[in-house]
């Protein structure tokens, strides 16, 4: 009996990773405020659910953006027929403009370099197919998004070689680490074709500084390898320092760079909260790659119905400007409350300013400094605390004890329930660090009472923030007053 | 050593094929009734543009489903977040019901066995990744859709070995042809993993007969290989004989509990039947749960947009709509096809008798200067540049005999079709006048005309021919 392919029967899809196990636990018993208040709260899903009201209001005011309304149906036929893999010009122009705005209009993107893909998932696979042959490799700094193992390796036959980053210097990507990874690849007889970075980082929630970016650009030029910048979280930078894109770095005077090596992967799944619409983008400075990727995009074009909607929405400058600002404020508030609440029970996290998650430090709660202990702790968090968080090992983190916890995919109530559960667990286990000095005189209990809610709102208002607060303040928040 | 992958520098994407060059010429000079009446008429695009009024009026009457609402409540957020590769359950149910309806409800499909993909392009590639390795091969009957070279081979490394079909028996698949293709693959050291057929056929426009389907099942049983049936045109069967799906034959032969049942897979899409290629709605249907599981995971690389799934689940769940659509669409396709056939006939050109698809397989062998593919290319260029019709030469479909062309009819209006046929007739007439042996040509045309009188429903053809004489 003839077998299926090795690709189909192997584990390259990566779904046996613990990253997905937690999801399964959630799916069998999902939290619901009234129907299943003891269910598992999903904190393993990096989704941005904070801005839907803004979008809904825009949709109500713009019925022509949908093909299905009386105002939009006259575009139905031409849209339904449009399968040109170049993509709708108005779609590409709107996306290029949006990408520019996300970078403070410090750079301009050329709509003719915009290539569509089936989400960032499809984009990454497509870039791997374009840049590498089976058996070749990309370097990827750890910790990294678990999906890369599937997206970059599974059907392409490309390998990933980790660039080890550690907590002692906040997981900074050093030139030494890059060189070490390169050597390791060579020793394994793997030809390195590129370096893949995610900036802002998933799972760290941090951005790369100018020096690191420049160092990387020098590195890839020295080795004549590609640099792929996954900037899927670019618009989620809610606090200083400001986001710095590869597209900006290569324009700087003192940077020498072969543009043919530079490629950006983007998507609307995180910045706008539209993962269901499958809007992935490959933006390459290399003409051959653009041309080839465009042909490959046939395997994952963006639905023309969606292109039409997005073109309409992202061409509205006023909406986009407002959205980008609002989104950052909401993310900032959510992040601040979350990290502050955790600190109250002695749980720290990596200082971050972006993304939809925090990189939580539970090293002190491990029985021993091993990944087995991390897994044990993780199972407790899922089964007893009933939170689905993602263990660091699933991100190929070098050190046990780190967990990625998402905060933007739930409403305020659910977040409070989650924080209460964490607090209860930590206090019960008596293993918490001594709580940090409170910035408010009254002791705050994480209860669900209205008074707490009110106090939370007070807390979030800049006027009451103590100058001695351990928490950084967003310039955006200051600007509103 | 290259900076980029070999895939970039090779041309397995197939876009240097003449199939695409004709499109490029069209794009430079597209016909428009008013603005560019001397432009090139696009007859190389298998699109169904005849029935848009039907979904448009459905949309007008069903604002709720269309406008991100369910029962008046906005479900935008729910849709925007929905990225589950299992697909929207309501959509999968509606889709399999629609597929069953197309097959006269003689077979039913299980929504849990369907995998949604970004178009049939993605479905076909995904099946290759699931069923074959680099260096394996699939057998395909010629002529076949040029896009298969890209979809099946490019990124997968799988090879295609042709099953040669000829006009001697209307391009049907024969047992010797299957066996010869299998042997040829073995001689090339390629492991054959399966057969892929398109039924109804692109470019032939014909449905496969039951005995052909039986032959295929016997062959894949004997060789223990897979069968992929791309049934993307199943909803375009506008006249008899009706469509017989591979699933129906398996069922009729009571093969559900046998190993071959799990080696048959169907590819489908809404691009041709409903005329929605822009929405990228494709599907794989397999009886093998392992294939379903693997393909489902792979579909992450090309999911169907949730807003599109939602819109179409509402539309396809409306059985009144689907019934009306199928009936009207078939009628319009049949009408337009017969206009093409009679227009060709007036120009002394015959075509393969067809009952499906959005095109005809046209015989222009008698217009070739020699029985070669070079002569076919020569003729094709004249038709594109002088006659100003973009049609697809048979060589781009890997046809084994020169002189055949695929001519699409469903993407243009009746008036445009008339203009195209007039141009063609003028061209053929001028060829006749210029050709020294034009008398010989006329005689051979008569011979061909007689040859083209097929048994089924050609009474009207007979009548017309007699009138002309």
């Amino acid at each position: 009996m003839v077998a299926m392919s090795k690709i189909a029967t192997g584990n390259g899809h990566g779904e046996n990773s613990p990253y997905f196990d937690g999801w399964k636990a959630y799916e069998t018993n999902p939290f619901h405020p009234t129907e299943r208040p003891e269910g598992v709260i999903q904190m393993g899903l990096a989704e941005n659910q904070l801005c839907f009201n803004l979008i809904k209001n825009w949709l109500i005011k713009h019925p022509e953006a949908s093909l299905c309304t009386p105002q939009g149906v006259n575009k139905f036929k031409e849209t339904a027929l449009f399968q040109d893999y170049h993509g709708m010009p108005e779609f590409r122009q709107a996306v290029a403009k949006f990408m520019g705005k996300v970078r403070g209009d410090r750079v301009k993107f050329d709509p003719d370099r915009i290539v569509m893909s089936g989400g960032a998932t499809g984009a990454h696979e497509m870039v791997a197919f374009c840049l590498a042959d089976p058996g070749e490799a990309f370097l990827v700094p750890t910790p990294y998004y678990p999906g890369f193992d599937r997206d970059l390796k599974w059907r392409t036959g490309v390998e990933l070689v980790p660039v080890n980053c550690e907590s002692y210097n906040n997981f900074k990507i050093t030139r030494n680490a890059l060189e070490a990874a390169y050597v390791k690849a060579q020793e394994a007889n793997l030809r390195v074709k590129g370096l893949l970075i995610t900036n802002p980082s998933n799972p760290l929630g941090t951005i790369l500084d100018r020096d690191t970016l420049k160092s990387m650009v020098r590195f890839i030029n020295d080795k004549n390898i590609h640099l792929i910048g996954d900037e899927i979280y670019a618009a989620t930078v809610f606090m200083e320092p400001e986001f710095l894109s590869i597209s900006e770095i290569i324009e700087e005077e003192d940077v020498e760079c072969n543009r043919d090596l530079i490629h950006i992967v983007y998507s609307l799944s995180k910045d706008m909260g539209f993962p269901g619409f499958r809007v992935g983008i490959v933006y390459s400075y290399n003409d051959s790659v653009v041309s080839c990727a465009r042909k490959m995009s046939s395997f994952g074009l963006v639905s023309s119905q969606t292109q039409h909607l997005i073109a309409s929405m992202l061409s509205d400058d006023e909406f986009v400007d407002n959205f980008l600002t609002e989104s950052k404020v909401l993310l900032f508030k959510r992040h601040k409350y979350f990290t502050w609440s955790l600190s109250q029970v002695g749980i720290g996290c990596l200082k971050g300013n972006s993304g939809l998650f925090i990189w939580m430090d539970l090293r002190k709660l491990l029985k021993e400094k091993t990944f087995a202990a991390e897994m044990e702790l993780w199972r407790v968090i899922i089964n007893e605390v009933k939170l689905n968080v993602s263990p660091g090992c699933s991100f190929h983190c070098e050190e046990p004890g780190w967990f990625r916890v998402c905060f933007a995919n739930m409403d305020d109530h659910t977040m409070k329930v989650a924080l209460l559960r964490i607090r209860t667990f930590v206090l019960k286990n008596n293993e918490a660090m001594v709580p940090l000095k409170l910035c408010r005189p009254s002791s705050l209990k994480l209860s669900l009472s209205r008074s707490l809610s009110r106090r939370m709102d007070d807390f979030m208002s800049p006027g009451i923030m103590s100058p001695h607060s351990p928490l950084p303040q967003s310039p955006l928040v200051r600007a509103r007053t | 050593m290259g900076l980029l992958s070999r895939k970039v520098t090779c041309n397995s994407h197939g876009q240097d094929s003449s199939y695409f060059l004709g499109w490029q010429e069209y794009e430079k000079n597209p016909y428009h009734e008013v603005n560019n009446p001397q432009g090139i008429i696009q007859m190389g695009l298998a699109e169904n543009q005849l029935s848009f009024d039907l979904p448009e009026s459905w949309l007008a009457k069903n604002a709720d489903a269309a406008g991100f609402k369910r029962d008046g409540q906005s479900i935008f957020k729910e849709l925007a977040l929905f990225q589950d590769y299992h697909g929207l359950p309501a959509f999968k149910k509606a889709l399999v019901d629609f597929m069953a309806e197309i097959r006269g409800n003689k077979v039913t499909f299980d929504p849990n066995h369907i995998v949604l993909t970004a178009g049939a392009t993605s479905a076909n590639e995904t099946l290759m990744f699931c069923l074959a390795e680099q260096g394996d091969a699939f057998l395909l009957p010629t002529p076949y859709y040029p896009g298969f070279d890209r979809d099946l081979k490019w990124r997968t490394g799988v090879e295609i070995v042709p099953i040669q079909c000829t006009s001697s028996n209307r391009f049907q698949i024969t047992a010797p042809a299957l066996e010869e293709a299998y042997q040829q693959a073995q001689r090339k050291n390629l492991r054959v993993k399966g057969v892929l057929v398109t039924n109804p056929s692109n470019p032939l426009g014909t449905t496969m007969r039951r005995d052909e389907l039986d032959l295929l099942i016997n062959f894949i049983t004997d060789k223990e290989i897979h069968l992929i049936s791309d049934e993307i045109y199943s909803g375009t069967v506008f006249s008899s004989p009706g469509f017989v799906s591979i699933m129906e034959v398996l069922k009729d032969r009571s093969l559900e509990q046998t190993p071959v049942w799990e080696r048959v897979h169907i590819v489908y899409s809404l691009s041709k039947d409903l005329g929605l290629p822009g929405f990228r709605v494709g599907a794989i249907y397999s009886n093998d749960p392992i294939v379903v599981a693997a393909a489902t995971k792979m579909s992450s690389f090309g999911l169907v947009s949730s807003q599109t799934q939602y819109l179409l689940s509402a539309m396809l769940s409306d059985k009144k709509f689907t019934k009306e659509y199928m009936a009207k669409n078939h009628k319009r396709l049949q009408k337009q096809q017969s206009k093409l056939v009679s227009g060709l006939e007036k120009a002394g050109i015959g075509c393969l008798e067809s009952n499906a698809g959005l095109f005809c397989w046209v015989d222009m062998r008698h217009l070739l200067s020699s029985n070669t593919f070079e002569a076919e290319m020569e003729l094709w260029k004249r038709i594109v540049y002088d006659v100003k019709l973009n049609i697809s030469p048979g060589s781009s479909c890997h046809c084994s005999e020169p002189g055949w062309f695929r001519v699409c009819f469903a993407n243009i209006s009746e008036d445009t079709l008339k203009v195209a046929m007039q141009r063609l007739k003028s061209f053929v007439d001028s060829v006749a006048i210029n050709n020294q042996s034009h008398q010989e040509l006329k005689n051979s045309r008569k011979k061909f005309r007689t040859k083209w009188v097929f048994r089924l429903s050609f009474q009207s053809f007979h009548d017309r021919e007699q009138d002309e004489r």
Side-chain angles (χ1 to χ4, degrees):
Chain A
M1 169 80 144
V2 84
M4 286 169 57
S5 68
K6 290 194 206 64
I7 288 174
T9 50
N11 280 331
H13 50 72
E15 289 193 19
N16 298 333
S17 147
Y19 183 69
F20 296 100
D21 278 353
W23 286 32
K24 292 171 197 159
Y26 164 78
E27 257 144 42
T28 46
N29 182 23
F31 172 81
H32 185 277
T34 50
E35 289 168 29
R36 249 183 330 269
E38 301 306 312
V40 176
I41 296 179
Q42 176 63 283
M43 303 189 87
L45 195 53
E47 270 178 6
N48 186 352
Q49 293 194 23
L50 305 183
C51 291
F52 278 111
N53 283 334
L54 285 172
I55 296 169
K56 268 201 309 223
N57 291 338
W58 185 91
L59 285 171
I60 290 168
K61 288 194 215 123
H62 296 267
E64 75 284 358
S66 165
L67 295 176
C68 312
T69 55
Q71 297 85 342
V73 77
N74 59 318
K75 292 275 186 193
F76 179 80
K77 177 175 168 176
E78 84 187 59
T79 307
L81 286 170
F82 189 89
Q83 57 172 329
D84 181 352
Y85 63 23
H86 289 84
M88 288 180 183
E90 52 273 30
F91 169 74
R92 285 183 285 115
Q93 280 150 20
V95 170
K97 194 159 66 149
F98 182 73
M99 286 173 71
K101 277 183 184 289
V102 168
R103 289 151 186 76
D105 284 320
R106 295 181 296 273
V107 277
K108 259 182 107 90
F109 288 89
D110 177 0
D112 291 338
R113 290 191 177 283
I114 300 253
V115 176
M116 298 181 288
S117 59
T121 301
H124 277 295
E125 190 194 46
M126 197 156 80
V127 170
F129 271 126
C130 285
L131 303 184
D133 287 314
E136 295 182 335
F138 288 124
L139 307 181
V140 195
T142 64
Y144 65 80
Y145 162 57
F148 283 158
D149 290 321
R150 170 197 60 195
D151 302 348
L152 292 152
K153 293 170 46 171
W154 190 22
R155 306 191 307 180
T156 61
V158 171
E159 292 295 334
L160 292 182
V161 175
V163 177
N164 295 334
C165 302
E166 294 163 54
S167 62
Y168 79 87
N169 64 349
N170 293 322
F171 300 92
K172 197 174 154 91
I173 305 166
T174 63
R175 178 73 189 233
N176 285 344
L178 288 169
E179 291 286 358
Y182 191 87
V183 166
K184 205 160 157 210
Q186 299 204 301
E187 282 165 5
N189 270 324
L190 294 168
R191 186 173 163 224
V192 175
K193 290 307 275 291
L195 168 65
L196 167 67
I197 57 172
T198 307
N199 178 32
S201 163
N202 174 14
L204 302 178
T206 55
I207 57 169
L208 295 174
D209 59 73
R210 183 173 259 101
D211 288 340
T212 304
L213 280 166
K214 283 186 176 177
S215 157
M216 279 179 186
V217 170
R218 270 194 300 273
F219 173 75
I220 59 126
N221 276 277
D222 287 347
K223 304 284 192 242
N224 198 30
I225 61 176
H226 297 277
L227 178 60
I228 305 145
D230 183 343
E231 300 191 344
I232 195 176
Y233 291 100
T236 68
V237 180
F238 48 79
M239 205 155 76
E240 278 184 358
E242 215 170 31
F243 176 57
L244 192 53
S245 162
I246 296 177
S247 55
E248 296 172 64
I249 285 292
I250 59 176
E251 302 289 350
E252 295 200 357
E253 273 176 26
D254 59 338
V255 172
E256 266 183 48
C257 182
N258 174 5
R259 298 280 176 113
D260 279 348
L261 301 174
I262 307 294
H263 322 275
I264 292 177
V265 165
Y266 187 56
S267 159
L268 297 183
S269 299
K270 310 295 179 183
D271 287 351
M272 297 215 68
F274 293 162
F277 294 167
R278 316 313 301 149
V279 182
I281 302 289
V282 171
Y283 188 94
S284 175
Y285 290 84
N286 181 321
D287 293 345
S288 303
V289 172
V290 170
S291 171
C292 183
R294 193 177 279 134
K295 295 181 178 74
M296 282 191 186
S297 68
S298 297
F299 297 109
L301 296 173
V302 176
S303 167
S304 54
Q305 176 189 16
T306 301
Q307 289 187 54
H308 177 81
L309 171 69
I310 299 299
S312 198
M313 199 182 283
L314 298 187
S315 310
D316 185 340
D317 289 338
E318 203 189 315
F319 165 76
V320 168
D321 291 339
N322 187 44
F323 176 89
L324 290 176
T325 310
E326 274 302 304
S327 173
K328 288 179 196 197
V329 169
L330 293 170
L331 284 169
F332 171 76
K333 282 185 176 174
R334 186 52 78 86
H335 176 269
K336 193 161 87 170
Y337 183 66
F338 207 78
T339 50
W340 175 82
S341 305
L342 289 176
S343 71
Q344 293 310 294
V345 289
I347 294 179
C349 37
L350 186 70
K351 187 170 158 199
N353 69 333
S354 52
L356 309 173
F357 32 72
I358 52 156
W359 191 233
M360 188 167 69
D361 183 358
L362 295 184
R363 287 176 294 176
K364 289 205 148 52
L365 294 183
L366 292 184
K367 291 216 170 97
E368 49 185 29
K369 244 170 120 175
T370 62
F371 286 110
E374 178 182 283
M375 280 285 100
E376 208 185 300
L377 175 59
W378 175 67
R379 271 187 278 276
V380 166
I381 296 174
I382 293 207
N383 298 320
E384 291 175 25
V385 191
K386 298 245 176 42
L387 301 176
N388 177 34
V389 299
S390 311
C393 60
S394 66
F395 293 88
H396 302 275
C397 187
E398 298 297 313
E399 306 167 20
W402 294 88
F403 292 78
R404 189 192 75 171
V405 184
C406 299
F407 59 72
N409 62 314
M410 60 190 73
D411 57 29
D412 285 344
H413 171 87
T414 309
M415 182 186 60
K416 287 173 198 164
V417 171
L419 287 166
L420 181 61
R421 289 182 185 180
I422 294 175
R423 178 186 173 81
T424 309
F425 169 70
V426 169
L427 295 180
K428 196 171 74 179
N429 283 277
N430 264 337
E431 282 154 340
M433 296 187 310
V434 172
L436 296 168
K437 200 162 131 176
L438 292 171
C439 62
R440 288 177 52 78
S442 57
S443 69
L444 271 169
K445 279 197 193 133
L446 288 172
S447 76
L448 305 176
S449 68
R450 269 207 206 111
S451 60
L452 170 66
S453 299
R454 211 174 50 237
R455 263 175 281 173
M456 178 183 120
D457 292 337
D458 289 347
F459 173 81
M460 300 300 266
S461 131
I464 295 185
M465 280 296 276
S466 155
H468 302 297
S469 162
L471 298 164
Q473 297 191 37
S474 167
L476 298 167
V477 175
R478 275 202 296 276
R480 275 157 68 82
T481 56
Chain B
M1 288 251 263
L3 193 64
L4 303 176
S5 72
R6 284 191 288 269
K7 288 176 183 60
V8 173
T9 45
C10 73
N11 60 359
S12 299
H13 49 73
Q15 291 196 202
D16 299 330
S17 144
S18 50
Y19 184 68
F20 297 98
L21 291 175
W23 285 33
Q24 284 162 21
E25 281 312 304
Y26 163 77
E27 253 141 48
K28 288 186 216 160
N29 182 20
Y31 171 84
H32 188 275
E33 221 169 30
V34 176
N35 301 338
N36 192 17
Q38 302 309 317
I40 298 179
I41 297 177
Q42 175 64 286
M43 302 188 88
L45 194 54
E47 267 177 11
N48 183 356
Q49 294 195 28
L50 304 181
S51 303
F52 271 106
D53 55 312
L54 301 169
E56 278 165 357
S57 65
W58 184 91
L59 284 172
K61 290 189 220 128
N62 291 276
D64 229 37
F68 290 126
K69 290 208 182 79
R70 188 193 291 136
D71 306 324
Q73 292 299 316
S74 170
I75 54 160
F76 179 80
K77 175 174 162 175
E78 199 181 309
L79 282 179
L81 291 171
F82 186 85
Q83 58 172 327
D84 182 354
Y85 59 27
H86 292 100
L88 215 57
F91 177 55
K92 289 202 299 182
K93 179 80 178 61
L95 186 60
V96 301
D97 285 350
F98 184 63
M99 287 170 70
E101 194 181 334
I102 287 173
R103 291 154 182 72
N105 288 313
K106 293 191 204 124
V107 283
T108 53
F109 295 95
D110 178 352
N112 293 321
H113 280 256
I114 202 155
V115 179
L116 301 174
T117 62
T121 301
S122 179
N124 280 311
E125 190 195 46
T126 297
L127 269 177
M128 286 300 107
F129 274 122
C130 287
L131 305 179
E133 314 260 335
Q134 172 115 16
D136 289 342
F138 261 76
L139 310 180
L140 266 67
T142 63
Y144 63 76
Y145 162 58
F148 281 149
D149 291 320
R150 171 197 59 196
D151 301 349
L152 305 177
K153 292 171 32 169
W154 189 18
R155 305 190 310 177
T156 63
V158 173
E159 293 294 334
I160 294 176
V161 174
I163 303 165
Q164 302 295 7
C165 301
T166 66
S167 58
S168 64
N169 69 341
R170 300 170 75 242
F171 298 94
Q172 285 175 88
I173 302 172
T174 64
L178 276 168
E179 194 57 48
E180 172 54 33
Y182 190 87
Q183 296 304 327
Q184 199 202 3
Q186 307 236 290
R187 285 192 293 270
K188 288 179 163 180
N189 272 324
L190 296 168
R191 189 165 72 142
V192 176
K193 292 309 273 292
V195 178
L196 186 148
V197 298
T198 308
N199 179 29
S201 164
N202 174 12
L204 303 177
T206 54
T207 51
M208 288 179 80
R209 291 163 23 155
R210 203 170 267 270
D211 55 354
E212 255 179 303
L213 294 166
D214 276 327
L215 176 64
L216 280 171
I217 290 174
N218 296 340
F219 182 76
I220 64 155
T221 305
D222 178 50
K223 304 287 190 216
E224 292 186 281
I225 58 179
H226 297 273
L227 176 62
I228 300 170
S229 182
D230 184 341
E231 300 188 348
I232 194 177
Y233 290 99
S234 48
T236 66
V237 180
F238 50 77
S239 69
S240 63
F243 177 58
V244 180
S245 166
I246 189 77
M247 289 300 180
E248 195 185 324
V249 177
L250 287 168
K251 211 176 130 197
D252 291 347
R253 288 172 60 170
S254 303
L255 294 171
E256 293 99 318
Q257 306 305 323
T258 65
V260 76
W261 176 249
E262 289 191 345
R263 290 204 307 273
V264 174
H265 324 280
I266 290 178
V267 165
Y268 187 55
S269 160
L270 298 180
S271 298
K272 310 295 180 184
D273 292 350
L274 283 187
L276 309 173
F279 287 179
R280 313 316 299 147
V281 181
I284 294 169
Y285 188 92
S286 177
N287 293 316
D288 183 347
I290 301 177
V291 172
V292 172
T296 300
K297 293 177 177 72
M298 287 190 191
S299 67
S300 296
F301 299 111
L303 296 173
V304 178
S305 172
S306 56
Q307 74 172 140
T308 301
Q309 289 189 53
Y310 183 67
L311 168 63
L312 294 174
S313 82
M315 202 185 276
L316 294 182
S317 304
D318 184 344
K319 302 284 191 252
K320 195 158 156 260
F321 168 78
T322 56
K323 199 160 167 212
E324 187 197 353
Y325 183 90
M326 299 277 280
K328 287 196 170 146
N329 187 42
H330 288 168
K331 254 208 188 94
R332 295 172 187 183
L333 285 172
Q334 179 168 38
K335 188 170 166 208
Q336 190 89 330
Q337 184 255 19
S338 64
K339 287 198 164 12
L340 172 64
V341 171
S342 68
L344 288 169
E345 197 274 334
K346 282 196 182 84
I349 297 173
C351 56
L352 189 69
E353 185 198 347
S354 67
N355 64 330
L358 310 173
F359 33 72
C360 283
W361 189 233
V362 176
D363 184 0
M364 297 202 201
R365 289 178 292 175
H366 59 295
L367 297 175
L368 295 182
S369 57
S370 62
N371 186 21
T372 61
F373 286 109
E374 287 75 25
E376 180 185 281
M377 272 293 108
E378 208 183 287
L379 175 59
W380 175 70
K381 282 186 184 138
R382 288 188 70 188
I383 295 177
V384 171
Y385 295 108
D386 300 342
V387 189
K388 301 233 176 52
L389 302 179
N390 179 35
I391 62 177
S392 311
S395 54
S396 68
C397 302
H398 301 276
C399 185
S400 53
E401 304 170 18
W404 293 89
F405 291 78
R406 190 191 77 169
V407 181
C408 300
F409 59 75
N411 62 312
I412 50 181
S413 69
E414 215 176 299
D415 291 337
T416 307
L417 182 56
K418 232 186 228 155
V419 171
M421 293 300 99
Q422 277 159 7
R423 288 185 187 178
L424 198 53
K425 177 156 165 58
S426 308
F427 168 71
V428 171
D429 289 346
S430 73
V431 164
I433 288 164
N434 291 333
N435 200 325
Q436 295 221 336
S437 55
H438 75 271
Q439 187 55 48
E440 219 182 299
L441 191 67
K442 245 179 162 175
N443 289 339
S444 69
R445 236 191 276 156
K446 269 192 200 160
K447 221 167 61 184
F448 270 104
R449 256 188 227 154
T450 326
K451 221 180 172 177
W452 288 122
V453 173
F454 285 107
R455 278 87 55 201
L456 302 165
S457 62
F458 262 77
Q459 199 51 50
S460 54
F461 185 93
H462 258 294
D463 293 341
R464 275 199 301 276
E465 198 184 25
Q466 300 206 350
D467 287 343
E468 256 193 331
R469 274 197 224 121

